[in-house]
Amino acid sequence: MVSPGVVFKVLEAGLGNGADFAEIFVEDAYSSELSMVDSRPGKAIVGRLRGAGIRLFYGHEVVYATTSDLSEAGLIKAARTAASALRGAGRARPSEPRARGFDSIHAYGKRPWEHDRGMKFRVLQALDGAARARSSMVTQAAPALLEKNQKILVANSLGTWAEDERNYVTLRLAVTLEDGGEREEASKRTGDLGTAEVLGKIDIEAFAGECVDQGVRLIHADHAPAGEMPVIIDNGFGGVIFHEACGHGLETTSVAKNASVFCGKLGEKIAESCVTAIDDGTMANTWGSLDVDDEGMATRRTVLIENGVLKSYIVDGMGARQTGFAPTGSGRRQSYKFAPASRMRNTFLAAGEDRLEDMIRDVDHGLYAKSMGGGSVNPATGDYNFGVREAYLIRNGRLEKPVKGASLIGRGIDTLGRIVKVGDELSLEPGMCGSVSGSIPTTVGQPAILVSKILVGGRAG
Amino acid sequence: MIFRELDPTFEKIAALAAADGAAAEVLVTREDKFSVSVQKGRVDKFDSGLGLCAGVRVVTDGQEGCCSTEDLSEDAILRSYREALECARFAAGQSESRDAALGMVGSGARGQVEALPDGFSRARAIERKIELARQLEGASLKRDPRVVAVPYNGYVESIGATRVFNTKGVDCASERSSVYAYAYALARDGAESRTGREVFFARSEGEFDPVRTGGRAAERAIAKLGSVQPETGVFPVLFDAAPAAELLGQLAAYLSGKAVAEKRSIFALDSLGRPISSPVLTIEDDPFLPMGPGSRPFDSEGTEAARATLLENGVLRGFLLNSVYARKLGLRNTGHASRGPKSELGIGPSNWVVKPGAEGRAALLRRHPRVIVVTDLAGFHAGFHAGSGNFSLQAEGELWEGGERKTPLCNFVVSGGFKDLLASIEAVGNEVPRPFSSVVTPEILVAGLSVAGR
């Protein structure tokens, strides 16, 4: 995308005012979205994002400048703009870039613009038809297909030179249901680090059926109760609890500012022995995986918590400088418009030995959260919240009835200590994670877990 | 005129569209933005960037196609036109029916209608900007020794320009500036950690008082120390202006003509003229609000902006509409088209302004023996279910008894249905806050809301 000679000049300009490190991130991305609404074509959008971000370090201080002008003059101007922000004592000169070749661990087929749009649209039509045929309560179906191809180049003054190509494909369905004056919405999505060939592996009937059936089960369900109680969180997207409650607090973005409840706890037992948590960027063609991160470092598998003991934080380049911990290949960003930060990849709790049925039998009065929505956390306090899409009341060891509208709130480190059982069936789900460096693809996952006490925000009275 | 250098490109697009039997619109934006945040007085991050983007929207055969590019060369924009046309033609080929409502505005704004405010300097010294961020953080840290950090803070300046051109006669441009600052102060007392936030918005730097904003964030954090969990029950709840804005902002999404037409709103066309909330609520969309973050001279289609009363004493008086959904619903275009260069045509409010009531905060807090004040809400994207209108949201706040503050509260959830919430708004406060988001509302008192706690 940009020649080594130009990159060298840009890095040299970046170091011109005493910075001790300079980096350039160049991106050329193509995105496409096709959708339907009212059983007709909806969105047909394509777009190109192309630009560069230049990052300078002055000790622990960071300067970042972006430009969509990839000419030599445009890049050098951006580097000089960045360098003019601060003055440092560094005398570094950029090293000659060393291209680091690697074999991608991910397999891709045709790029988004090479695929027949008609084939893609027929998938959406099939989803629309299947959703509407599934239940007469369906008043709207909105299927959508999003594809992205992202080519990146990262080079820095230490000689790093890494190029990568990533392809993402997401199929999404949202349905609205109405019955007897009640309304409900349900949605379902896939997410692959891959290309549109994966659409051929999706069972459209089952995909639409699962989405619509959830809405049908919920539309006349009672509201969830309110108060503290034991909660079983099922596998798959249930892993959002670890992502929100703990994962963000393990990122050096928070740890380096002493703004995480996990600060200073490395090596300490912070959970029961049944809890092992992993952040893994190396899983082939998995939504949150990478080959190299957005700082040019090869991705890796990081054990965060092992048998309840905190083993590692999630560390990016600046986080490594600030905390002294080794980087974990976790520097990520949405696009060149964002400086990278320490972010999660595919993050999950490892499988344990308990069976879901046994966990339910052990609860007298509690909640079984079968399907989770998203959530958020305040990393500084560890206070998290997340929504439950589909839940069931447990009474006397049995599922009593479906309930809706629950949210779960608590403090991450407390909840982590209250995971008392971990199921034997791990599954992963794709999601999007928003934070300081933008919105990025991440996978969450876990087996079913039993938490002895969480505040359920349902309806009182 | 902004982007005058693109005039020859627009002329070529007009000629191409005429030959192709299509209508085309080009939305071009430029954003020159920088932000700086500090940690313990040192620059944590300094970001600056110039973003350019052109979005071409083409309508042909009753279908729409869009394409965007960050390369503003003539070649790139003409290529985007061809790709948008291809998208529209592809979509048209997938359906036998034509959407007759799709089209473009033919009699919108022309010319450049807004300039930068007086005193906004493009070339202020970087040192001055960094100093403002330092003062912001410093004001929080100095306010109280229990404030241990301001982990999230920033001073942000932006100058943006927009030009809308279409082949039906619209050609208008505007330029605007903004200054935004935020501070999240972290206070600790023993094992307890609380954060307090304050945000500031203005059109120029001169209005920004970093000491006030930073100090206020610290005060909010300190006020939360010693929080307890409320008991579970149904309580009168007073929402401070910030959480009230988050809640009532949801109404704008429901009153979008697009959501109504696509059956995604909890309100339908026949709700017009009927009460949908308690009579204390009147809401106007005001694109001319001085200092309003959403103020605009024209919408994304180029339709001249106009004030619109959406809710009058609880009665629904209108929906937010662009030209397409006005045609679909048989209503008048209200000039609420909203899109960025990378998206399709949508609908959005400008400044969503709630009319103040008669009573002040003290009087509202004395209306009931016990009132829970909600100062912060979190988790909208997970806890607000737009399809059903049910919400269940994490909150922080205070317990007031007999008009006196008793204790700060944490770790609780307020839940309900959105229609019920609107119906049970008992009073709107009389203090209009300085706009910090495009939803401007005084505090609101809700008669009874489910609170989940102990």
Side-chain angles (χ1 to χ4, degrees):
Chain A
M1 287 185 276
V2 180
S3 73
V6 171
V7 164
F8 187 84
K9 288 181 194 170
V10 171
L11 296 174
E12 198 170 38
L15 294 173
N17 213 12
D20 57 81
F21 172 85
E23 172 199 79
I24 179 170
F25 176 87
V26 188
E27 177 179 14
D28 186 355
Y30 171 94
S31 60
S32 157
E33 182 173 359
L34 270 180
S35 73
M36 291 183 72
V37 68
D38 292 332
S39 297
R40 302 184 74 259
K43 296 180 193 175
I45 303 177
V46 294
R48 191 89 180 262
L49 181 135
R50 194 165 171 271
I54 290 147
R55 186 168 64 142
L56 309 177
F57 289 173
Y58 294 79
H60 290 177
E61 298 182 295
V62 182
V63 175
Y64 192 66
T66 59
T67 178
S68 53
D69 182 352
L70 293 187
S71 68
E72 179 176 334
L75 290 170
I76 289 175
K77 184 178 171 197
R80 286 186 178 144
T81 300
S84 68
L86 291 178
R87 180 174 294 278
R91 294 171 186 275
R93 291 259 309 151
S95 302
E96 287 294 334
R98 298 182 306 272
R100 189 155 49 79
F102 57 84
D103 292 325
S104 174
I105 54 179
H106 314 295
Y108 300 121
K110 288 183 184 172
R111 293 342 185 221
W113 56 88
E114 296 170 341
H115 269 285
D116 171 29
R117 270 206 185 107
M119 177 280 285
K120 298 174 192 173
F121 192 75
R122 284 190 290 280
V123 171
L124 300 184
Q125 281 178 311
L127 261 185
D128 178 72
R132 290 174 188 274
R134 187 77 173 189
S135 169
S136 59
M137 294 183 198
V138 174
T139 56
Q140 186 61 275
L145 176 68
L146 294 88
E147 296 167 278
K148 181 177 171 184
N149 171 273
Q150 183 194 38
K151 296 188 183 83
I152 64 151
L153 157 66
V154 194
N156 67 36
S157 55
L158 302 177
T160 292
W161 179 284
E163 291 181 76
D164 195 13
E165 179 183 358
R166 302 152 183 172
N167 290 278
Y168 298 94
V169 58
T170 298
L171 185 64
R172 205 169 59 192
L173 174 65
V175 294
T176 306
L177 301 94
E178 287 185 40
D179 188 50
E182 296 287 331
R183 291 172 50 84
E184 195 54 63
E185 257 182 5
S187 62
K188 190 171 169 61
R189 64 175 292 171
T190 65
D192 288 274
L193 186 69
T195 42
E197 288 81 4
V198 299
L199 298 174
K201 297 176 190 162
I202 295 171
D203 181 338
I204 296 292
E205 294 284 332
F207 185 89
E210 279 178 39
C211 179
V212 172
D213 291 354
Q214 185 185 71
V216 170
R217 287 193 293 271
L218 289 176
I219 193 164
H220 296 302
D222 289 340
H223 293 290
E228 290 183 328
M229 62 189 77
V231 176
I232 295 169
I233 302 170
D234 210 347
N235 65 4
F237 206 70
V240 73
I241 187 172
F242 182 80
H243 177 102
E244 296 296 348
C246 306
H248 281 297
L250 296 176
E251 294 164 346
T252 47
T253 307
S254 300
V255 175
K257 294 174 185 166
N258 192 24
S260 165
V261 289
F262 295 102
C263 284
K265 295 196 183 298
L266 208 63
E268 287 185 21
K269 192 154 170 52
I270 59 169
E272 296 290 331
S273 300
C274 58
V275 176
T276 291
I278 292 154
D279 180 52
D280 189 352
T282 67
M283 303 164 78
N285 287 101
T286 304
W287 181 244
S289 290
L290 302 163
D291 277 313
V292 291
D293 74 356
D294 292 330
E295 296 182 309
M297 181 173 174
T299 193
R300 62 178 63 181
R301 183 176 193 269
T302 308
V303 176
L304 303 173
I305 299 170
E306 190 168 31
N307 301 325
V309 177
L310 182 59
K311 290 288 185 184
S312 177
Y313 294 116
I314 298 167
V315 188
D316 65 333
M318 177 45 81
R321 276 190 175 216
Q322 292 171 328
T323 63
F325 300 120
T328 53
S330 308
R332 302 188 66 189
R333 51 182 131 196
Q334 177 181 324
S335 73
Y336 77 88
K337 298 193 175 181
F338 296 83
S342 52
R343 303 290 295 271
M344 286 174 266
R345 298 164 298 204
N346 305 299
T347 314
F348 54 89
L349 292 179
E353 296 174 345
D354 292 293
R355 284 157 39 90
L356 175 62
E357 297 78 8
D358 296 337
M359 292 185 205
I360 293 170
R361 206 160 30 236
D362 285 350
V363 175
D364 285 336
H365 174 60
L367 194 78
Y368 165 50
K370 180 177 166 58
S371 169
M372 303 301 300
S376 61
V377 66
N378 179 340
T381 61
D383 292 341
Y384 68 81
N385 67 81
F386 51 101
V388 185
R389 284 295 305 147
E390 183 180 2
Y392 293 80
L393 201 59
I394 307 174
R395 279 203 196 275
N396 303 319
R398 292 183 163 198
L399 299 185
E400 189 179 78
K401 59 178 182 179
V403 289
K404 65 183 174 186
S407 60
L408 305 180
I409 73 165
R411 189 166 168 252
I413 200 159
D414 297 339
T415 302
L416 194 60
R418 290 180 185 143
I419 299 174
V420 290
K421 290 199 171 173
V422 176
D424 55 3
E425 205 173 309
L426 169 68
S427 79
L428 306 176
E429 292 272 352
M432 294 301 291
C433 170
S435 187
V436 288
S437 61
S439 179
I440 57 169
T442 55
T443 300
V444 298
Q446 65 171 39
I449 57 171
L450 171 60
V451 184
S452 57
K453 188 172 76 170
I454 303 187
L455 176 60
V456 176
R459 300 273 177 101
Chain B
M1 188 77 140
I2 300 162
F3 299 118
R4 182 173 295 284
E5 67 280 12
L6 296 180
D7 286 354
T9 307
F10 292 163
E11 282 172 25
K12 286 184 182 167
I13 284 182
L16 285 169
D20 292 326
E25 171 192 277
V26 190
L27 172 67
V28 192
T29 60
R30 181 186 70 217
E31 188 180 28
D32 191 348
K33 183 176 178 181
F34 86 88
S35 68
V36 57
S37 62
V38 301
Q39 287 298 314
K40 302 277 159 64
R42 294 166 68 168
V43 172
D44 181 48
K45 210 164 106 185
F46 184 105
D47 277 8
S48 74
L50 175 64
L52 297 165
C53 198
V56 183
R57 189 168 71 92
V58 172
V59 175
T60 187
D61 297 331
Q63 280 299 338
E64 175 182 283
C66 301
C67 182
S68 64
T69 176
E70 297 190 340
D71 178 352
L72 296 196
S73 68
E74 182 171 296
D75 278 355
I77 294 176
L78 293 180
R79 193 164 55 241
S80 295
Y81 164 78
R82 285 191 292 274
E83 288 201 43
L85 178 70
E86 193 184 313
C87 283
R89 285 181 170 164
F90 165 78
Q94 309 307 308
S95 175
E96 289 179 4
S97 65
R98 295 287 174 262
D99 188 345
L102 273 178
M104 296 199 180
V105 172
S107 57
R110 292 191 66 84
Q112 186 163 328
V113 287
E114 189 182 336
L116 290 173
D118 292 341
F120 198 95
S121 164
R122 286 176 187 275
R124 208 172 9 265
I126 285 170
E127 292 76 14
R128 165 69 184 151
K129 300 169 186 180
I130 295 173
E131 184 53 30
L132 285 170
R134 284 198 182 109
Q135 288 174 11
L136 176 70
E137 189 207 30
S140 280
L141 291 171
K142 284 177 200 151
R143 187 58 57 102
D144 191 295
R146 289 170 293 177
V147 176
V148 295
V150 192
Y152 305 101
N153 66 72
Y155 173 74
V156 185
E157 277 186 13
S158 160
I159 300 174
T162 301
R163 183 163 171 188
V164 184
F165 164 87
N166 81 18
T167 55
K168 299 286 186 185
V170 166
D171 190 359
C172 51
S174 72
E175 199 170 17
R176 49 183 283 155
S177 60
S178 68
V179 167
Y180 175 72
Y182 60 95
Y184 285 68
L186 171 62
R188 282 212 181 108
D189 192 3
E192 186 185 15
S193 298
R194 300 284 162 213
T195 55
R197 71 167 177 166
E198 178 72 1
V199 297
F200 173 89
F201 176 86
R203 292 286 181 204
S204 63
E205 174 234 301
E207 298 169 67
F208 176 50
D209 178 351
V211 174
R212 187 184 181 285
T213 301
R216 189 79 190 103
E219 286 162 14
R220 288 181 194 275
I222 294 296
K224 291 179 185 176
L225 290 173
S227 286
V228 298
Q229 216 175 2
E231 60 192 84
T232 296
V234 175
F235 294 89
V237 174
L238 182 115
F239 289 95
D240 271 353
E246 290 181 274
L247 273 173
L248 293 180
Q250 300 294 324
L251 184 59
Y254 284 133
L255 297 187
S256 150
K258 186 168 192 274
V260 170
E262 292 178 354
K263 304 187 190 85
R264 291 182 294 104
S265 173
I266 57 173
F267 301 108
L269 193 57
D270 63 7
S271 305
L272 264 183
R274 295 183 180 174
I276 63 164
S277 83
S278 115
V280 301
L281 203 59
T282 291
I283 298 179
E284 183 181 62
D285 186 78
D286 183 0
F288 310 120
L289 183 73
M291 308 306 298
S295 294
R296 61 193 185 198
F298 52 83
D299 72 4
S300 301
E301 283 187 293
T303 302
E304 286 185 27
R307 286 192 184 86
T309 299
L310 282 304
L311 200 60
E312 188 176 25
N313 301 323
V315 176
L316 181 62
R317 293 297 182 203
F319 295 107
L320 299 174
L321 296 160
N322 60 23
S323 73
V324 174
Y325 285 89
R327 281 191 286 272
K328 277 186 198 278
L329 296 177
L331 299 169
R332 189 178 53 83
N333 180 7
T334 58
H336 286 97
S338 173
R339 84 174 184 108
K342 295 179 182 177
S343 64
E344 81 286 10
L345 186 64
I347 289 177
S350 59
N351 299 297
W352 194 243
V353 183
V354 177
K355 186 179 171 188
E359 290 174 71
R361 185 180 180 88
L364 295 178
L365 288 166
R366 278 195 299 270
R367 274 183 169 233
H368 299 274
R370 300 176 88 197
V371 176
I372 286 183
V373 173
V374 170
T375 56
D376 297 78
L377 283 175
F380 261 87
H381 74 287
F384 194 98
H385 303 282
S388 62
N390 292 318
F391 61 86
S392 178
L393 300 166
Q394 184 182 20
E396 292 176 288
E398 298 166 349
L399 175 66
W400 286 65
E401 287 181 359
E404 290 188 10
R405 184 180 187 270
K406 288 296 174 190
T407 179
L409 300 174
C410 65
N411 294 336
F412 65 101
V413 175
V414 290
S415 305
F418 195 69
K419 282 185 175 178
D420 295 337
L421 175 90
L422 292 178
S424 58
I425 295 176
E426 190 178 301
V428 177
N430 64 2
E431 290 172 36
V432 182
R434 180 191 170 89
F436 52 83
S437 80
S438 58
V439 182
V440 184
T441 176
E443 55 222 339
I444 57 169
L445 178 64
V446 177
L449 207 55
S450 170
V451 170
R454 271 184 289 128

